[in-house]
Amino acid sequence: MESDQIHAWLRETNPARLTHLWRMADATRQQYVGGEVHLRGLIEFSNHCVRLCAYCGLRAPNSALTRYRMTQDEIMACVRQAVAWGYGTVVLQSGEDPQVSREWLASLVRRIKAETPLAVTLSVGERSDEDLWAWREAGADRYLLRFETSNKALYDRLHPPRPGSASDRLAMLGRLREMGYEVGSGVMIGIPGQSYRDLAADIALFRELDLDMIGVGPYLLHPNTPLGDPSFRPVAPDHDQVPADELTTYKVIALSRLVCPRANIPSTTALATLNRTNGRELGLERGANVLMPNLTPPQYRVLYEIYPNKACFQETAEGCFGCMRQRIESVGRTVGVGPGSAARGEPVQPTAAE
């Protein structure tokens, strides 16, 4: 599928054609990664961030946000819940927080690997190669770093670099691959200034990067950010602005599956925020194979406010686990066992029942 074809699908409105797209994506998912839905236990362990990203509620100048950092013991309590409920992976996520030191995070990763069978995914922003190597050597398996948009001018406007350092996330993704991480990335859908051509180029770049994990979700506005000010918002040319809506999100999930058939693709909380009734289920039926139940304690979860009114932000970890299992079973899928690494071999062979 070339960029022009991707672009045409992004603009498609014919319901019959879209039904065909959903079926292609679902069949490709079944062929390459099977019917299991893997659960990744998310732990949002720090909401401190030094960056000035124009869309994110964690941005450093947001003085209205109460900041926190979880202790290792608090994190390990969440990790033990993940083991008890049969999750295969924990995702350690934070803002870009220099106080999360190389040594502290390496010791936490070693502790998780020594005490549990879990895979460990890190999502802590742009860090030095020395940090990344130390965490890989400590046992970290995966790293998530969204490149957000392949349009460099738009990226630079939305992601001011830290003083004295350039931001090159694509280069960092390449280095992560060389270090032996499973590599994940993704984009926001409908960020102000994003054109359909930009988004088509993003999806084509997923294939070029040969991603193991792809995270895509709709842009959701936070009022305490520059994008909350209409006078700041960039606008795509010629009325070509991508909408930050549910339908476009399903299209991107489906197209991501088609260009990267073996990747792990979540049906995200941002999607569920747009459609709290069955957004996650529809994502699973249109190419996704991962859900990310939140293990963050509720008193911290409400403070990890990238955008407001996040789906399930007040739910307990136990309640989230039960809800996810029910949603998976409601679409005729099964809960995955083990870490659920990206499929790099032959397509999954169907059983007689399939």
Side-chain angles (χ1 to χ4, degrees):
M1 187 178 294
E2 300 302 323
S3 184
D4 284 348
Q5 293 172 289
I6 296 170
H7 179 258
W9 276 118
L10 290 173
R11 286 193 170 276
E12 183 62 65
T13 58
N14 183 294
R17 290 276 294 159
L18 290 174
T19 296
H20 179 59
L21 177 64
W22 312 146
R23 288 174 177 167
M24 285 196 300
D26 196 48
T28 301
R29 184 271 309 157
Q30 180 64 43
Q31 179 182 6
Y32 284 89
V33 298
E36 292 186 330
V37 177
H38 288 278
L39 297 176
R40 316 295 203 204
L42 177 64
I43 306 173
E44 299 157 328
F45 67 92
S46 169
N47 71 347
H48 288 262
C49 191
V50 296
R51 301 301 292 266
L52 305 176
C53 300
Y55 57 85
C56 181
L58 303 190
R59 65 194 310 269
N62 184 6
S63 59
L65 183 63
T66 301
R67 305 288 176 166
Y68 72 89
R69 292 187 187 94
M70 293 173 63
T71 67
Q72 283 201 11
D73 286 344
E74 287 177 314
I75 294 168
M76 288 304 299
C78 299
V79 169
R80 283 188 283 273
Q81 288 180 315
V83 174
W85 293 329
Y87 298 174
T89 301
V90 286
V91 181
L92 303 178
Q93 181 171 291
S94 71
E96 200 161 304
D97 182 1
Q99 294 303 308
V100 175
S101 70
R102 180 189 312 164
E103 296 76 14
W104 184 89
L105 190 52
S107 69
L108 175 62
V109 171
R110 283 192 293 268
R111 190 173 171 186
I112 295 170
K113 301 300 283 190
E115 298 179 20
T116 80
L118 297 173
V120 176
T121 300
L122 301 179
S123 180
V124 296
E126 298 174 39
R127 300 290 296 236
S128 71
D129 285 1
E130 292 79 10
D131 291 348
L132 301 174
W133 273 115
W135 300 333
R136 179 71 183 125
E137 291 169 356
D141 302 280
R142 305 168 182 146
Y143 203 99
L144 296 174
L145 183 74
R146 288 189 177 192
F147 63 79
E148 303 297 11
T149 174
S150 56
N151 179 331
K152 188 176 186 309
L154 181 59
Y155 179 90
D156 289 344
R157 182 165 188 185
L158 300 178
H159 297 78
R162 295 174 64 179
S165 65
S167 177
D168 190 341
R169 294 194 173 193
L170 296 181
M172 183 174 161
L173 291 169
R175 295 196 299 274
L176 287 163
R177 174 81 69 198
E178 292 170 358
M179 294 176 191
Y181 284 96
E182 287 186 41
V183 178
S185 194
V187 299
M188 284 178 292
I189 299 162
I191 191 78
Q194 180 187 60
S195 71
Y196 282 96
R197 288 289 179 189
D198 291 336
L199 186 53
D202 294 340
I203 296 168
L205 185 55
F206 295 163
R207 177 177 53 202
E208 182 181 335
L209 293 170
D210 192 23
L211 295 173
D212 300 301
M213 303 166 282
I214 299 172
V216 296
Y219 163 69
L220 298 172
L221 183 144
H222 193 296
N224 295 334
T225 63
L227 286 180
D229 178 357
S231 67
F232 175 87
R233 294 175 202 161
V235 178
D238 301 324
H239 307 288
D240 199 25
Q241 172 67 48
V242 173
D245 63 6
E246 187 181 349
L247 178 61
T248 309
T249 302
Y250 297 136
K251 291 178 184 178
V252 177
I253 289 173
L255 293 165
S256 298
R257 173 60 64 199
L258 294 174
V259 302
C260 292
R262 294 178 171 84
N264 283 313
I265 302 175
S267 188
T268 63
T269 301
L271 174 58
T273 300
L274 289 184
N275 178 351
R276 295 170 190 257
T277 302
N278 64 343
R280 284 192 176 96
E281 290 91 327
L282 289 172
L284 291 175
E285 292 176 331
R286 295 169 181 182
N289 71 316
V290 168
L291 293 179
M292 297 180 68
N294 201 323
L295 293 168
T296 312
Q299 70 269 27
Y300 298 133
R301 191 184 310 182
V302 70
L303 300 175
Y304 200 84
E305 194 183 72
I306 295 174
Y307 53 85
N309 301 314
K310 187 188 300 183
C312 309
F313 74 94
Q314 290 181 319
E315 191 170 23
T316 65
E318 184 174 10
C320 191
F321 166 63
C323 177
M324 293 292 188
R325 288 188 66 94
Q326 184 177 24
R327 290 177 184 276
I328 290 167
E329 292 166 1
S330 75
V331 295
R333 304 272 283 280
T334 58
V335 177
V337 176
S341 295
R344 285 285 171 182
E346 295 299 315
V348 174
Q349 296 301 313
T351 66
E354 294 169 344

